[in-house]
PDB file of all heavy atoms in Angstrom:
ATOM      1  N   TRP A   1      39.552  11.399 -57.294  1.00  0.00           N
ATOM      2  CA  TRP A   1      39.402  12.791 -56.910  1.00  0.00           C
ATOM      3  C   TRP A   1      38.863  12.914 -55.443  1.00  0.00           C
ATOM      4  O   TRP A   1      39.383  13.717 -54.706  1.00  0.00           O
ATOM      5  CB  TRP A   1      38.442  13.557 -57.833  1.00  0.00           C
ATOM      6  CG  TRP A   1      39.055  13.941 -59.135  1.00  0.00           C
ATOM      7  CD1 TRP A   1      38.981  13.109 -60.388  1.00  0.00           C
ATOM      8  CD2 TRP A   1      39.928  15.068 -59.489  1.00  0.00           C
ATOM      9  NE1 TRP A   1      39.703  13.876 -61.326  1.00  0.00           N
ATOM     10  CE2 TRP A   1      40.288  14.933 -60.790  1.00  0.00           C
ATOM     11  CE3 TRP A   1      40.399  16.074 -58.651  1.00  0.00           C
ATOM     12  CZ2 TRP A   1      41.101  15.992 -61.360  1.00  0.00           C
ATOM     13  CZ3 TRP A   1      41.163  17.055 -59.169  1.00  0.00           C
ATOM     14  CH2 TRP A   1      41.507  16.974 -60.492  1.00  0.00           C
ATOM     15  N   SER A   2      37.891  12.055 -55.102  1.00  0.00           N
ATOM     16  CA  SER A   2      37.361  12.025 -53.762  1.00  0.00           C
ATOM     17  C   SER A   2      38.405  11.703 -52.727  1.00  0.00           C
ATOM     18  O   SER A   2      38.379  12.088 -51.528  1.00  0.00           O
ATOM     19  CB  SER A   2      36.210  11.154 -53.660  1.00  0.00           C
ATOM     20  OG  SER A   2      35.216  11.544 -54.500  1.00  0.00           O
ATOM     21  N   SER A   3      39.404  10.826 -53.058  1.00  0.00           N
ATOM     22  CA  SER A   3      40.413  10.300 -52.235  1.00  0.00           C
ATOM     23  C   SER A   3      41.593  11.241 -51.834  1.00  0.00           C
ATOM     24  O   SER A   3      42.219  11.140 -50.934  1.00  0.00           O
ATOM     25  CB  SER A   3      40.996   9.007 -52.718  1.00  0.00           C
ATOM     26  OG  SER A   3      41.936   9.341 -53.837  1.00  0.00           O
ATOM     27  N   ILE A   4      41.597  12.413 -52.609  1.00  0.00           N
ATOM     28  CA  ILE A   4      42.768  13.308 -52.440  1.00  0.00           C
ATOM     29  C   ILE A   4      42.385  14.638 -51.845  1.00  0.00           C
ATOM     30  O   ILE A   4      43.133  15.574 -51.769  1.00  0.00           O
ATOM     31  CB  ILE A   4      43.484  13.541 -53.660  1.00  0.00           C
ATOM     32  CG1 ILE A   4      42.695  14.191 -54.807  1.00  0.00           C
ATOM     33  CG2 ILE A   4      44.177  12.287 -54.324  1.00  0.00           C
ATOM     34  CD1 ILE A   4      43.387  14.772 -55.979  1.00  0.00           C
ATOM     35  N   THR A   5      40.940  14.727 -51.448  1.00  0.00           N
ATOM     36  CA  THR A   5      40.590  16.011 -50.894  1.00  0.00           C
ATOM     37  C   THR A   5      39.973  15.703 -49.533  1.00  0.00           C
ATOM     38  O   THR A   5      39.650  14.527 -49.089  1.00  0.00           O
ATOM     39  CB  THR A   5      39.429  16.610 -51.793  1.00  0.00           C
ATOM     40  OG1 THR A   5      38.972  17.746 -51.125  1.00  0.00           O
ATOM     41  CG2 THR A   5      38.233  15.529 -51.917  1.00  0.00           C
ATOM     42  N   THR A   6      39.861  16.835 -48.737  1.00  0.00           N
ATOM     43  CA  THR A   6      39.070  16.683 -47.373  1.00  0.00           C
ATOM     44  C   THR A   6      37.603  16.766 -47.563  1.00  0.00           C
ATOM     45  O   THR A   6      36.930  16.533 -46.573  1.00  0.00           O
ATOM     46  CB  THR A   6      39.605  17.806 -46.482  1.00  0.00           C
ATOM     47  OG1 THR A   6      39.333  19.008 -47.062  1.00  0.00           O
ATOM     48  CG2 THR A   6      41.088  17.585 -46.182  1.00  0.00           C
ATOM     49  N   THR A   7      37.166  16.885 -48.746  1.00  0.00           N
ATOM     50  CA  THR A   7      35.732  16.968 -48.977  1.00  0.00           C
ATOM     51  C   THR A   7      35.212  15.982 -50.157  1.00  0.00           C
ATOM     52  O   THR A   7      35.049  16.465 -51.298  1.00  0.00           O
ATOM     53  CB  THR A   7      35.219  18.516 -49.389  1.00  0.00           C
ATOM     54  OG1 THR A   7      35.807  19.339 -48.555  1.00  0.00           O
ATOM     55  CG2 THR A   7      33.686  18.508 -49.331  1.00  0.00           C
ATOM     56  N   PRO A   8      35.138  14.655 -49.814  1.00  0.00           N
ATOM     57  CA  PRO A   8      34.963  13.669 -50.838  1.00  0.00           C
ATOM     58  C   PRO A   8      33.656  13.888 -51.639  1.00  0.00           C
ATOM     59  O   PRO A   8      33.501  13.580 -52.796  1.00  0.00           O
ATOM     60  CB  PRO A   8      34.873  12.397 -50.051  1.00  0.00           C
ATOM     61  CG  PRO A   8      35.561  12.654 -48.806  1.00  0.00           C
ATOM     62  CD  PRO A   8      35.404  14.122 -48.528  1.00  0.00           C
ATOM     63  N   SER A   9      32.616  14.582 -50.944  1.00  0.00           N
ATOM     64  CA  SER A   9      31.296  14.777 -51.575  1.00  0.00           C
ATOM     65  C   SER A   9      31.375  15.923 -52.728  1.00  0.00           C
ATOM     66  O   SER A   9      30.383  16.194 -53.266  1.00  0.00           O
ATOM     67  CB  SER A   9      30.149  15.067 -50.555  1.00  0.00           C
ATOM     68  OG  SER A   9      30.608  16.241 -49.838  1.00  0.00           O
ATOM     69  N   LEU A  10      32.571  16.567 -52.661  1.00  0.00           N
ATOM     70  CA  LEU A  10      32.714  17.734 -53.636  1.00  0.00           C
ATOM     71  C   LEU A  10      32.503  17.330 -55.066  1.00  0.00           C
ATOM     72  O   LEU A  10      32.020  18.022 -55.996  1.00  0.00           O
ATOM     73  CB  LEU A  10      34.092  18.265 -53.482  1.00  0.00           C
ATOM     74  CG  LEU A  10      34.442  19.555 -54.271  1.00  0.00           C
ATOM     75  CD1 LEU A  10      33.609  20.787 -53.906  1.00  0.00           C
ATOM     76  CD2 LEU A  10      35.912  19.931 -54.210  1.00  0.00           C
ATOM     77  N   PHE A  11      32.842  15.974 -55.352  1.00  0.00           N
ATOM     78  CA  PHE A  11      32.883  15.518 -56.851  1.00  0.00           C
ATOM     79  C   PHE A  11      31.699  14.646 -57.195  1.00  0.00           C
ATOM     80  O   PHE A  11      31.126  13.938 -56.363  1.00  0.00           O
ATOM     81  CB  PHE A  11      34.200  14.767 -57.029  1.00  0.00           C
ATOM     82  CG  PHE A  11      35.425  15.579 -56.693  1.00  0.00           C
ATOM     83  CD1 PHE A  11      36.105  15.359 -55.498  1.00  0.00           C
ATOM     84  CD2 PHE A  11      35.799  16.524 -57.581  1.00  0.00           C
ATOM     85  CE1 PHE A  11      37.141  16.181 -55.190  1.00  0.00           C
ATOM     86  CE2 PHE A  11      36.952  17.213 -57.283  1.00  0.00           C
ATOM     87  CZ  PHE A  11      37.680  17.090 -56.034  1.00  0.00           C
ATOM     88  N   SER A  12      31.289  14.783 -58.417  1.00  0.00           N
ATOM     89  CA  SER A  12      30.183  13.949 -59.000  1.00  0.00           C
ATOM     90  C   SER A  12      30.448  13.744 -60.468  1.00  0.00           C
ATOM     91  O   SER A  12      31.311  14.405 -61.074  1.00  0.00           O
ATOM     92  CB  SER A  12      28.790  14.627 -58.744  1.00  0.00           C
ATOM     93  OG  SER A  12      28.775  15.844 -59.362  1.00  0.00           O
ATOM     94  N   ILE A  13      29.699  12.845 -61.025  1.00  0.00           N
ATOM     95  CA  ILE A  13      29.871  12.566 -62.555  1.00  0.00           C
ATOM     96  C   ILE A  13      28.520  13.099 -63.273  1.00  0.00           C
ATOM     97  O   ILE A  13      27.447  12.772 -62.892  1.00  0.00           O
ATOM     98  CB  ILE A  13      29.900  10.972 -62.776  1.00  0.00           C
ATOM     99  CG1 ILE A  13      31.220  10.553 -62.027  1.00  0.00           C
ATOM    100  CG2 ILE A  13      30.062  10.708 -64.233  1.00  0.00           C
ATOM    101  CD1 ILE A  13      31.289   8.932 -62.091  1.00  0.00           C
ATOM    102  N   ASN A  14      28.830  13.952 -64.207  1.00  0.00           N
ATOM    103  CA  ASN A  14      27.657  14.441 -65.045  1.00  0.00           C
ATOM    104  C   ASN A  14      27.128  13.311 -65.940  1.00  0.00           C
ATOM    105  O   ASN A  14      27.775  12.249 -66.153  1.00  0.00           O
ATOM    106  CB  ASN A  14      28.085  15.609 -65.881  1.00  0.00           C
ATOM    107  CG  ASN A  14      28.011  16.854 -65.116  1.00  0.00           C
ATOM    108  OD1 ASN A  14      27.558  16.889 -63.977  1.00  0.00           O
ATOM    109  ND2 ASN A  14      28.511  18.010 -65.638  1.00  0.00           N
ATOM    110  N   GLU A  15      25.978  13.554 -66.575  1.00  0.00           N
ATOM    111  CA  GLU A  15      25.299  12.677 -67.435  1.00  0.00           C
ATOM    112  C   GLU A  15      26.112  12.528 -68.733  1.00  0.00           C
ATOM    113  O   GLU A  15      26.887  13.524 -69.166  1.00  0.00           O
ATOM    114  CB  GLU A  15      23.967  13.151 -67.773  1.00  0.00           C
ATOM    115  CG  GLU A  15      22.906  13.164 -66.681  1.00  0.00           C
ATOM    116  CD  GLU A  15      21.527  13.505 -67.122  1.00  0.00           C
ATOM    117  OE1 GLU A  15      21.281  13.894 -68.190  1.00  0.00           O
ATOM    118  OE2 GLU A  15      20.681  13.675 -66.183  1.00  0.00           O
ATOM    119  N   MET A  16      26.012  11.395 -69.312  1.00  0.00           N
ATOM    120  CA  MET A  16      26.737  11.152 -70.614  1.00  0.00           C
ATOM    121  C   MET A  16      26.203  11.992 -71.769  1.00  0.00           C
ATOM    122  O   MET A  16      25.042  12.426 -71.815  1.00  0.00           O
ATOM    123  CB  MET A  16      26.470   9.695 -71.074  1.00  0.00           C
ATOM    124  CG  MET A  16      27.156   8.678 -70.307  1.00  0.00           C
ATOM    125  SD  MET A  16      27.032   7.022 -71.034  1.00  0.00           S
ATOM    126  CE  MET A  16      27.627   5.935 -69.726  1.00  0.00           C
ATOM    127  N   LYS A  17      27.202  12.498 -72.562  1.00  0.00           N
ATOM    128  CA  LYS A  17      26.887  13.341 -73.698  1.00  0.00           C
ATOM    129  C   LYS A  17      27.399  12.563 -75.017  1.00  0.00           C
ATOM    130  O   LYS A  17      28.413  11.956 -74.905  1.00  0.00           O
ATOM    131  CB  LYS A  17      27.521  14.723 -73.597  1.00  0.00           C
ATOM    132  CG  LYS A  17      26.994  15.496 -72.334  1.00  0.00           C
ATOM    133  CD  LYS A  17      27.588  16.749 -72.248  1.00  0.00           C
ATOM    134  CE  LYS A  17      27.119  17.632 -71.076  1.00  0.00           C
ATOM    135  NZ  LYS A  17      27.830  18.881 -70.955  1.00  0.00           N
ATOM    136  N   TYR A  18      26.684  12.747 -76.074  1.00  0.00           N
ATOM    137  CA  TYR A  18      27.085  12.096 -77.341  1.00  0.00           C
ATOM    138  C   TYR A  18      27.445  13.152 -78.305  1.00  0.00           C
ATOM    139  O   TYR A  18      26.553  14.037 -78.713  1.00  0.00           O
ATOM    140  CB  TYR A  18      25.916  11.178 -77.889  1.00  0.00           C
ATOM    141  CG  TYR A  18      25.584  10.099 -76.843  1.00  0.00           C
ATOM    142  CD1 TYR A  18      24.490  10.398 -75.938  1.00  0.00           C
ATOM    143  CD2 TYR A  18      26.238   9.018 -76.741  1.00  0.00           C
ATOM    144  CE1 TYR A  18      24.151   9.374 -74.922  1.00  0.00           C
ATOM    145  CE2 TYR A  18      25.928   7.960 -75.788  1.00  0.00           C
ATOM    146  CZ  TYR A  18      24.890   8.260 -74.872  1.00  0.00           C
ATOM    147  OH  TYR A  18      24.502   7.236 -73.931  1.00  0.00           O
ATOM    148  N   VAL A  19      28.634  13.292 -78.721  1.00  0.00           N
ATOM    149  CA  VAL A  19      29.088  14.192 -79.778  1.00  0.00           C
ATOM    150  C   VAL A  19      29.850  13.548 -80.866  1.00  0.00           C
ATOM    151  O   VAL A  19      30.828  12.900 -80.704  1.00  0.00           O
ATOM    152  CB  VAL A  19      30.145  15.185 -79.051  1.00  0.00           C
ATOM    153  CG1 VAL A  19      30.592  16.299 -79.984  1.00  0.00           C
ATOM    154  CG2 VAL A  19      29.501  15.849 -77.823  1.00  0.00           C
ATOM    155  N   ASP A  20      29.188  13.516 -82.007  1.00  0.00           N
ATOM    156  CA  ASP A  20      29.680  12.816 -83.242  1.00  0.00           C
ATOM    157  C   ASP A  20      29.929  11.331 -82.855  1.00  0.00           C
ATOM    158  O   ASP A  20      29.077  10.670 -82.469  1.00  0.00           O
ATOM    159  CB  ASP A  20      30.992  13.492 -83.710  1.00  0.00           C
ATOM    160  CG  ASP A  20      30.676  14.974 -84.107  1.00  0.00           C
ATOM    161  OD1 ASP A  20      29.586  15.197 -84.598  1.00  0.00           O
ATOM    162  OD2 ASP A  20      31.604  15.811 -84.001  1.00  0.00           O
ATOM    163  N   ASP A  21      31.167  10.877 -83.036  1.00  0.00           N
ATOM    164  CA  ASP A  21      31.444   9.450 -82.696  1.00  0.00           C
ATOM    165  C   ASP A  21      32.018   9.206 -81.225  1.00  0.00           C
ATOM    166  O   ASP A  21      32.681   8.301 -81.009  1.00  0.00           O
ATOM    167  CB  ASP A  21      32.554   9.023 -83.735  1.00  0.00           C
ATOM    168  CG  ASP A  21      32.028   9.031 -85.171  1.00  0.00           C
ATOM    169  OD1 ASP A  21      30.875   8.632 -85.264  1.00  0.00           O
ATOM    170  OD2 ASP A  21      32.811   9.390 -86.056  1.00  0.00           O
ATOM    171  N   MET A  22      31.758  10.223 -80.447  1.00  0.00           N
ATOM    172  CA  MET A  22      32.393  10.209 -79.084  1.00  0.00           C
ATOM    173  C   MET A  22      31.180  10.219 -77.983  1.00  0.00           C
ATOM    174  O   MET A  22      30.245  10.980 -78.104  1.00  0.00           O
ATOM    175  CB  MET A  22      33.324  11.324 -78.877  1.00  0.00           C
ATOM    176  CG  MET A  22      34.121  11.209 -77.679  1.00  0.00           C
ATOM    177  SD  MET A  22      35.362  12.660 -77.619  1.00  0.00           S
ATOM    178  CE  MET A  22      36.352  12.116 -78.975  1.00  0.00           C
ATOM    179  N   THR A  23      31.408   9.398 -76.985  1.00  0.00           N
ATOM    180  CA  THR A  23      30.572   9.458 -75.750  1.00  0.00           C
ATOM    181  C   THR A  23      31.454  10.081 -74.694  1.00  0.00           C
ATOM    182  O   THR A  23      32.637   9.658 -74.524  1.00  0.00           O
ATOM    183  CB  THR A  23      30.070   8.122 -75.472  1.00  0.00           C
ATOM    184  OG1 THR A  23      29.383   7.508 -76.482  1.00  0.00           O
ATOM    185  CG2 THR A  23      29.083   8.170 -74.149  1.00  0.00           C
ATOM    186  N   LYS A  24      31.001  10.988 -73.920  1.00  0.00           N
ATOM    187  CA  LYS A  24      31.766  11.691 -72.904  1.00  0.00           C
ATOM    188  C   LYS A  24      30.986  11.887 -71.687  1.00  0.00           C
ATOM    189  O   LYS A  24      29.800  12.143 -71.652  1.00  0.00           O
ATOM    190  CB  LYS A  24      32.395  13.014 -73.419  1.00  0.00           C
ATOM    191  CG  LYS A  24      31.427  14.027 -73.707  1.00  0.00           C
ATOM    192  CD  LYS A  24      32.067  15.344 -74.095  1.00  0.00           C
ATOM    193  CE  LYS A  24      32.647  16.114 -72.882  1.00  0.00           C
ATOM    194  NZ  LYS A  24      33.036  17.388 -73.097  1.00  0.00           N
ATOM    195  N   VAL A  25      31.707  11.987 -70.464  1.00  0.00           N
ATOM    196  CA  VAL A  25      31.259  12.414 -69.245  1.00  0.00           C
ATOM    197  C   VAL A  25      32.176  13.287 -68.610  1.00  0.00           C
ATOM    198  O   VAL A  25      33.472  13.076 -68.844  1.00  0.00           O
ATOM    199  CB  VAL A  25      30.912  11.227 -68.323  1.00  0.00           C
ATOM    200  CG1 VAL A  25      29.726  10.277 -68.811  1.00  0.00           C
ATOM    201  CG2 VAL A  25      32.042  10.329 -67.927  1.00  0.00           C
ATOM    202  N   ASP A  26      31.782  14.153 -67.856  1.00  0.00           N
ATOM    203  CA  ASP A  26      32.733  15.100 -67.090  1.00  0.00           C
ATOM    204  C   ASP A  26      32.635  14.778 -65.538  1.00  0.00           C
ATOM    205  O   ASP A  26      31.549  14.548 -65.087  1.00  0.00           O
ATOM    206  CB  ASP A  26      32.324  16.570 -67.290  1.00  0.00           C
ATOM    207  CG  ASP A  26      32.628  17.110 -68.661  1.00  0.00           C
ATOM    208  OD1 ASP A  26      33.554  16.539 -69.318  1.00  0.00           O
ATOM    209  OD2 ASP A  26      31.886  17.881 -69.139  1.00  0.00           O
ATOM    210  N   ILE A  27      33.712  14.733 -64.992  1.00  0.00           N
ATOM    211  CA  ILE A  27      33.791  14.615 -63.486  1.00  0.00           C
ATOM    212  C   ILE A  27      33.862  16.158 -63.123  1.00  0.00           C
ATOM    213  O   ILE A  27      34.760  16.894 -63.522  1.00  0.00           O
ATOM    214  CB  ILE A  27      34.954  13.832 -62.985  1.00  0.00           C
ATOM    215  CG1 ILE A  27      34.833  12.374 -63.490  1.00  0.00           C
ATOM    216  CG2 ILE A  27      35.039  13.866 -61.447  1.00  0.00           C
ATOM    217  CD1 ILE A  27      36.104  11.622 -63.216  1.00  0.00           C
ATOM    218  N   VAL A  28      32.959  16.496 -62.109  1.00  0.00           N
ATOM    219  CA  VAL A  28      32.858  18.020 -61.690  1.00  0.00           C
ATOM    220  C   VAL A  28      33.043  18.135 -60.256  1.00  0.00           C
ATOM    221  O   VAL A  28      32.670  17.285 -59.502  1.00  0.00           O
ATOM    222  CB  VAL A  28      31.511  18.543 -62.244  1.00  0.00           C
ATOM    223  CG1 VAL A  28      31.444  18.515 -63.776  1.00  0.00           C
ATOM    224  CG2 VAL A  28      30.343  17.891 -61.567  1.00  0.00           C
ATOM    225  N   ALA A  29      33.535  19.289 -59.913  1.00  0.00           N
ATOM    226  CA  ALA A  29      33.557  19.737 -58.533  1.00  0.00           C
ATOM    227  C   ALA A  29      32.572  20.801 -58.356  1.00  0.00           C
ATOM    228  O   ALA A  29      32.339  21.746 -59.138  1.00  0.00           O
ATOM    229  CB  ALA A  29      34.900  20.265 -58.127  1.00  0.00           C
ATOM    230  N   GLN A  30      31.734  20.676 -57.387  1.00  0.00           N
ATOM    231  CA  GLN A  30      30.594  21.572 -56.995  1.00  0.00           C
ATOM    232  C   GLN A  30      30.977  22.520 -55.959  1.00  0.00           C
ATOM    233  O   GLN A  30      31.021  22.218 -54.850  1.00  0.00           O
ATOM    234  CB  GLN A  30      29.311  20.661 -56.598  1.00  0.00           C
ATOM    235  CG  GLN A  30      28.092  21.623 -56.376  1.00  0.00           C
ATOM    236  CD  GLN A  30      27.563  22.061 -57.774  1.00  0.00           C
ATOM    237  OE1 GLN A  30      27.433  21.436 -58.725  1.00  0.00           O
ATOM    238  NE2 GLN A  30      27.450  23.399 -57.840  1.00  0.00           N
ATOM    239  N   PHE A  31      31.214  23.812 -56.484  1.00  0.00           N
ATOM    240  CA  PHE A  31      31.538  24.916 -55.528  1.00  0.00           C
ATOM    241  C   PHE A  31      30.373  25.807 -55.376  1.00  0.00           C
ATOM    242  O   PHE A  31      29.383  25.716 -56.113  1.00  0.00           O
ATOM    243  CB  PHE A  31      32.813  25.576 -56.126  1.00  0.00           C
ATOM    244  CG  PHE A  31      34.040  24.923 -56.027  1.00  0.00           C
ATOM    245  CD1 PHE A  31      34.669  24.263 -57.169  1.00  0.00           C
ATOM    246  CD2 PHE A  31      34.719  24.682 -54.819  1.00  0.00           C
ATOM    247  CE1 PHE A  31      35.832  23.736 -57.096  1.00  0.00           C
ATOM    248  CE2 PHE A  31      35.996  24.113 -54.712  1.00  0.00           C
ATOM    249  CZ  PHE A  31      36.431  23.625 -55.785  1.00  0.00           C
ATOM    250  N   PRO A  32      30.385  26.650 -54.392  1.00  0.00           N
ATOM    251  CA  PRO A  32      29.267  27.598 -54.171  1.00  0.00           C
ATOM    252  C   PRO A  32      28.898  28.293 -55.432  1.00  0.00           C
ATOM    253  O   PRO A  32      27.813  28.830 -55.653  1.00  0.00           O
ATOM    254  CB  PRO A  32      29.668  28.495 -52.954  1.00  0.00           C
ATOM    255  CG  PRO A  32      30.777  27.678 -52.285  1.00  0.00           C
ATOM    256  CD  PRO A  32      31.329  26.766 -53.292  1.00  0.00           C
ATOM    257  N   TRP A  33      29.888  28.696 -56.211  1.00  0.00           N
ATOM    258  CA  TRP A  33      29.655  29.510 -57.517  1.00  0.00           C
ATOM    259  C   TRP A  33      29.305  28.700 -58.661  1.00  0.00           C
ATOM    260  O   TRP A  33      28.923  29.254 -59.734  1.00  0.00           O
ATOM    261  CB  TRP A  33      30.925  30.276 -57.794  1.00  0.00           C
ATOM    262  CG  TRP A  33      32.055  29.547 -58.163  1.00  0.00           C
ATOM    263  CD1 TRP A  33      32.453  28.982 -59.295  1.00  0.00           C
ATOM    264  CD2 TRP A  33      33.112  29.148 -57.229  1.00  0.00           C
ATOM    265  NE1 TRP A  33      33.506  28.274 -59.147  1.00  0.00           N
ATOM    266  CE2 TRP A  33      34.096  28.288 -57.840  1.00  0.00           C
ATOM    267  CE3 TRP A  33      33.440  29.409 -55.874  1.00  0.00           C
ATOM    268  CZ2 TRP A  33      35.274  27.893 -57.351  1.00  0.00           C
ATOM    269  CZ3 TRP A  33      34.549  28.990 -55.301  1.00  0.00           C
ATOM    270  CH2 TRP A  33      35.475  28.122 -55.965  1.00  0.00           C
ATOM    271  N   GLY A  34      29.325  27.366 -58.583  1.00  0.00           N
ATOM    272  CA  GLY A  34      28.838  26.482 -59.653  1.00  0.00           C
ATOM    273  C   GLY A  34      29.856  25.324 -59.831  1.00  0.00           C
ATOM    274  O   GLY A  34      30.819  25.155 -59.059  1.00  0.00           O
ATOM    275  N   GLN A  35      29.611  24.629 -60.986  1.00  0.00           N
ATOM    276  CA  GLN A  35      30.457  23.444 -61.225  1.00  0.00           C
ATOM    277  C   GLN A  35      31.712  23.814 -62.012  1.00  0.00           C
ATOM    278  O   GLN A  35      31.699  24.760 -62.820  1.00  0.00           O
ATOM    279  CB  GLN A  35      29.605  22.374 -62.074  1.00  0.00           C
ATOM    280  CG  GLN A  35      28.474  21.702 -61.366  1.00  0.00           C
ATOM    281  CD  GLN A  35      27.884  20.755 -62.265  1.00  0.00           C
ATOM    282  OE1 GLN A  35      28.036  20.646 -63.413  1.00  0.00           O
ATOM    283  NE2 GLN A  35      26.997  19.798 -61.694  1.00  0.00           N
ATOM    284  N   GLU A  36      32.779  23.067 -61.709  1.00  0.00           N
ATOM    285  CA  GLU A  36      34.022  23.162 -62.527  1.00  0.00           C
ATOM    286  C   GLU A  36      34.341  21.736 -63.008  1.00  0.00           C
ATOM    287  O   GLU A  36      34.404  20.762 -62.162  1.00  0.00           O
ATOM    288  CB  GLU A  36      35.236  23.724 -61.618  1.00  0.00           C
ATOM    289  CG  GLU A  36      34.975  25.117 -61.049  1.00  0.00           C
ATOM    290  CD  GLU A  36      34.920  26.157 -62.173  1.00  0.00           C
ATOM    291  OE1 GLU A  36      35.405  25.835 -63.259  1.00  0.00           O
ATOM    292  OE2 GLU A  36      34.652  27.349 -61.916  1.00  0.00           O
ATOM    293  N   VAL A  37      34.631  21.634 -64.262  1.00  0.00           N
ATOM    294  CA  VAL A  37      35.035  20.344 -64.773  1.00  0.00           C
ATOM    295  C   VAL A  37      36.446  20.069 -64.448  1.00  0.00           C
ATOM    296  O   VAL A  37      37.336  20.894 -64.675  1.00  0.00           O
ATOM    297  CB  VAL A  37      34.921  20.252 -66.307  1.00  0.00           C
ATOM    298  CG1 VAL A  37      35.364  18.934 -66.888  1.00  0.00           C
ATOM    299  CG2 VAL A  37      33.450  20.493 -66.640  1.00  0.00           C
ATOM    300  N   VAL A  38      36.686  18.961 -63.744  1.00  0.00           N
ATOM    301  CA  VAL A  38      38.128  18.538 -63.240  1.00  0.00           C
ATOM    302  C   VAL A  38      38.722  17.455 -64.076  1.00  0.00           C
ATOM    303  O   VAL A  38      40.003  17.375 -64.148  1.00  0.00           O
ATOM    304  CB  VAL A  38      38.044  18.168 -61.761  1.00  0.00           C
ATOM    305  CG1 VAL A  38      37.618  19.296 -61.008  1.00  0.00           C
ATOM    306  CG2 VAL A  38      37.197  16.936 -61.550  1.00  0.00           C
ATOM    307  N   GLU A  39      37.879  16.667 -64.805  1.00  0.00           N
ATOM    308  CA  GLU A  39      38.358  15.652 -65.709  1.00  0.00           C
ATOM    309  C   GLU A  39      37.303  15.194 -66.629  1.00  0.00           C
ATOM    310  O   GLU A  39      36.129  15.220 -66.299  1.00  0.00           O
ATOM    311  CB  GLU A  39      38.847  14.329 -64.794  1.00  0.00           C
ATOM    312  CG  GLU A  39      39.479  13.273 -65.650  1.00  0.00           C
ATOM    313  CD  GLU A  39      40.340  12.266 -64.830  1.00  0.00           C
ATOM    314  OE1 GLU A  39      40.527  12.525 -63.581  1.00  0.00           O
ATOM    315  OE2 GLU A  39      40.726  11.279 -65.337  1.00  0.00           O
ATOM    316  N   THR A  40      37.718  14.849 -67.771  1.00  0.00           N
ATOM    317  CA  THR A  40      36.804  14.406 -68.851  1.00  0.00           C
ATOM    318  C   THR A  40      37.204  12.965 -69.275  1.00  0.00           C
ATOM    319  O   THR A  40      38.358  12.549 -69.483  1.00  0.00           O
ATOM    320  CB  THR A  40      36.746  15.317 -70.041  1.00  0.00           C
ATOM    321  OG1 THR A  40      36.441  16.566 -69.676  1.00  0.00           O
ATOM    322  CG2 THR A  40      35.819  14.746 -71.138  1.00  0.00           C
ATOM    323  N   VAL A  41      36.195  12.033 -69.255  1.00  0.00           N
ATOM    324  CA  VAL A  41      36.386  10.603 -69.724  1.00  0.00           C
ATOM    325  C   VAL A  41      35.588  10.456 -71.045  1.00  0.00           C
ATOM    326  O   VAL A  41      34.354  10.716 -71.017  1.00  0.00           O
ATOM    327  CB  VAL A  41      35.890   9.677 -68.609  1.00  0.00           C
ATOM    328  CG1 VAL A  41      36.231   8.228 -69.036  1.00  0.00           C
ATOM    329  CG2 VAL A  41      36.502   9.968 -67.273  1.00  0.00           C
TER     330      VAL A  41
END
């Protein structure tokens, strides 16, 4: 995500979350109005 934009610092990885049998993290874009989830691992 950082490699395809002109603002590499726009993206970050949220903390891990545990839901039932699944561990997940969201890659988010930080805009002035807040975070937008761009990909989930």
Side-chain angles (χ1 to χ4, degrees):
W1 283 98
S2 297
S3 74
I4 63 172
T5 181
T6 57
T7 315
S9 60
L10 182 68
F11 302 99
S12 60
I13 301 173
N14 275 355
E15 292 184 1
M16 288 187 191
K17 297 178 182 178
Y18 303 93
V19 182
D20 298 328
D21 296 318
M22 188 174 294
T23 306
K24 64 173 284 190
V25 296
D26 292 325
I27 300 170
V28 298
Q30 185 65 55
F31 287 106
W33 60 84
Q35 291 183 348
E36 299 290 350
V37 176
V38 297
E39 183 161 353
T40 299
V41 184

